[in-house]
Amino acid sequence: MTKESALDTARAQLRRAVEQLHLTENDWQTLSTPRRVLEVAVPLRRDNGKIEVYNGFRVQYSTTRGPAKGGIRYHPSVDMDETIALAMLMTWKCALTNLPYGGAKGGINVDSNSLSESENERLTRRYTSEILPIIGPERDIPAPDVGTDERNMAWIMDTYSVQAGYAVPGVVTGKPIVLGGSLGRASATGDGVAISTREALRIKGIPIAGATVAIQGFGKVGYWAAIAVEKMGMKVVAVSDVTGGITGFENVSQVWDHFRKEGNINVPGCDHLSNDELLHLEVDVLIPAALSDAITSHSANDIKAKIVVEGANAPTTPEGDAILNDKGILVVPDILANSGGVVVSYFEWVQDKQKFFWDLLEVKENLSTIMMKAIKEVEEVSNREKVTWRESAHIIGVGRVAQAHKLRGLYP
Ligand code: GLU
């Protein structure tokens, strides 16, 4: 899939929702156009003194229902089209979970693994200063995404706060706890993936205890999803990272302990398998939790899982999606399955605003309430309208944004 098609896919999904909601051509125009896009040059002085210039982006796709909200991605594939597509998905994701946000995404076309700690800090601070005029707790609130983590959020918060003259924790979410981060944010996306998995199994009538799960990706989403589904009684049979996968381990902690010590998941005594082999395992649940375009027209045919839970954003191409649907596989779409991250980001922002912090139990309970409500709504609309869960999730998310547009009216 070419880079343009990430945007094509997102637009095609929107088009379908607009039709299913019987919206007008004017609605389509409004909904398919990003509210604000910014491209900036991000020069970086490398540790060896050389200067490199990267491209930075921030797209505020929608601000109709509240401040723009979404992650910042450091990856070589980042460009304007991909950022618009992901910002569009954030918009429907926030509306689906009924958070008082619009949607946004940002990023830099850089390989985060190629950066030393100090290069990463310089790059992040420079990028922040370039997008500074359009972010803020009431305007647009960044968060971690692929290739960024709580360190980046701390630097963004500091750069913004230095300019403001006082600490502004609410300008980003996914911060370290001591800077106003929320308990439970680190595991939130994985926790939400696990809740979605459990509910999908229930709906399919598959016993949760002992249900087999294969997870592609062992990062911020995949690792926590693995821990959470295991806690619920499922059996994680395979995990992978960029270098490939393994199977035959005792439990997720065994893989994690090895990863912490050795920096890889190749636990001695376990069988290796390729990322493709992992996708095609005979399991109850497959969780793609890495990058986009994992499930394509090539890889979808041999998928044997009964349920696919999209931990990553846009892991399935439209062709791959059609094949999964034909095979009767239940696909829990990204904007539902991985929404736990932004839901707890919302809790973090609320806590920062109130300057009053919740305990972990409160975070987990509130996350569960919001996710369960969204899952139930998606299931209901899917049954009522006879559409897939992806279409249903879009109908709900897009519908809410369209309604908000209508009620606000057009200025002037
Ligand atoms: N990057 C995450 C996502 O794609 C989280 C965004 C946020 O917390 O704002 O949903």
Side-chain angles (χ1 to χ4, degrees):
M1 190 155 119
T2 60
K3 278 183 213 143
E4 288 83 44
S5 57
L7 184 53
D8 290 344
T9 304
R11 286 172 67 93
Q13 284 164 357
L14 171 62
R15 190 29 113 183
R16 182 117 182 85
V18 165
E19 282 162 16
Q20 285 167 331
L21 285 158
H22 307 294
L23 299 175
T24 64
E25 199 51 33
N26 280 345
D27 293 326
W28 157 256
Q29 275 175 16
T30 316
L31 293 165
S32 63
T33 311
R35 171 78 193 267
R36 183 183 278 147
V37 300
L38 177 63
E39 179 167 356
V40 296
V42 195
L44 166 70
R45 192 187 310 280
R46 286 278 185 175
D47 293 340
N48 64 10
K50 277 208 183 124
I51 291 178
E52 286 168 3
V53 182
Y54 292 91
N55 303 107
F57 306 90
R58 186 69 186 169
V59 173
Q60 296 172 347
Y61 195 84
S62 172
T63 50
T64 306
R65 302 178 69 256
K69 182 86 192 83
I72 289 178
R73 180 173 288 209
Y74 289 180
H75 192 272
S77 76
V78 168
D79 64 11
M80 185 55 93
D81 277 0
E82 186 190 84
T83 311
I84 293 173
L86 293 169
M88 193 194 307
L89 285 179
M90 281 308 303
T91 305
W92 318 141
K93 192 187 299 187
C94 291
L96 173 63
T97 41
N98 231 336
L99 307 180
Y101 288 138
K105 202 76 165 200
I108 305 177
N109 64 341
V110 66
D111 177 2
S112 57
N113 295 319
S114 75
L115 302 169
S116 69
E117 175 97 359
S118 55
E119 288 170 344
N120 197 337
E121 177 171 352
R122 286 197 290 280
L123 190 76
T124 301
R125 287 188 185 279
R126 181 59 185 252
Y127 169 72
T128 307
S129 77
E130 295 296 338
I131 65 166
L132 207 72
I134 66 165
I135 62 171
E138 302 301 333
R139 291 172 185 273
D140 180 4
I141 307 128
D145 197 83
V146 174
T148 57
D149 57 29
E150 60 172 39
R151 290 172 311 161
N152 301 89
M153 299 308 116
W155 295 323
I156 295 173
M157 181 237 169
D158 182 68
T159 306
Y160 188 91
S161 299
V162 165
Q163 298 302 318
Y166 51 92
V168 188
V171 67
V172 283
T173 57
K175 296 177 292 294
I177 306 287
V178 288
L179 294 179
S182 177
L183 294 171
R185 175 62 184 85
S187 64
T189 312
D191 288 339
V193 168
I195 293 171
S196 306
T197 305
R198 186 191 62 207
E199 294 311 305
L201 283 167
R202 198 167 278 160
I203 286 157
K204 276 274 197 180
I206 303 169
I208 291 152
T212 51
V213 184
I215 304 180
Q216 185 201 40
F218 202 59
K220 284 198 292 281
V221 180
Y223 165 70
W224 288 108
I227 292 282
V229 296
E230 204 175 65
K231 250 196 205 139
M232 291 172 176
M234 297 169 222
K235 172 87 188 124
V236 180
V237 294
V239 296
S240 69
D241 66 8
V242 274
T243 63
I246 54 159
T247 184
F249 46 86
E250 250 160 58
N251 52 38
V252 177
S253 303
Q254 191 193 8
V255 185
W256 178 245
D257 287 346
H258 181 87
F259 181 79
R260 262 210 333 241
K261 279 187 219 123
E262 308 292 334
N264 64 61
I265 60 168
N266 303 323
V267 180
C270 290
D271 294 324
H272 292 254
L273 73 180
S274 69
N275 257 303
D276 251 12
E277 285 168 330
L278 180 138
L279 292 179
H280 300 146
L281 285 174
E282 191 116 19
V283 286
D284 294 313
V285 185
L286 172 66
I287 302 180
L291 285 170
S292 53
D293 303 345
I295 302 177
T296 62
S297 55
H298 300 294
S299 62
N301 269 315
D302 293 324
I303 287 179
K304 297 174 196 73
K306 300 178 188 87
I307 298 167
V308 170
V309 182
E310 295 184 335
N313 285 313
T316 310
T317 65
E319 299 79 20
D321 205 28
I323 295 169
L324 297 184
N325 292 330
D326 285 347
K327 285 160 83 88
I329 297 172
L330 174 60
V331 180
V332 186
D334 46 8
I335 60 171
L336 176 61
N338 71 32
S339 62
V342 72
V343 169
V344 178
S345 275
Y346 164 60
F347 299 160
E348 180 172 332
W349 180 73
V350 167
Q351 292 169 78
D352 288 339
K353 264 174 165 301
Q354 298 185 335
K355 313 216 177 316
F356 182 76
F357 289 86
W358 312 353
D359 62 25
L360 184 59
L361 190 67
E362 191 166 357
V363 171
K364 295 238 181 203
E365 279 176 359
N366 282 311
L367 170 63
S368 173
T369 304
I370 291 185
M371 296 268 339
M372 292 295 286
K373 188 159 183 276
I375 293 166
K376 197 157 169 265
E377 283 173 345
V378 169
E379 191 199 359
E380 272 168 16
V381 172
S382 159
N383 291 341
R384 194 180 65 226
E385 304 293 324
K386 314 238 167 322
V387 295
T388 66
W389 276 38
R390 192 185 309 283
E391 288 170 323
S392 167
H394 276 81
I395 288 172
I396 298 166
V398 172
R400 280 191 188 134
V401 178
Q403 196 192 0
H405 267 297
K406 254 189 209 112
L407 291 171
R408 282 185 60 162
L410 181 63
Y411 172 85

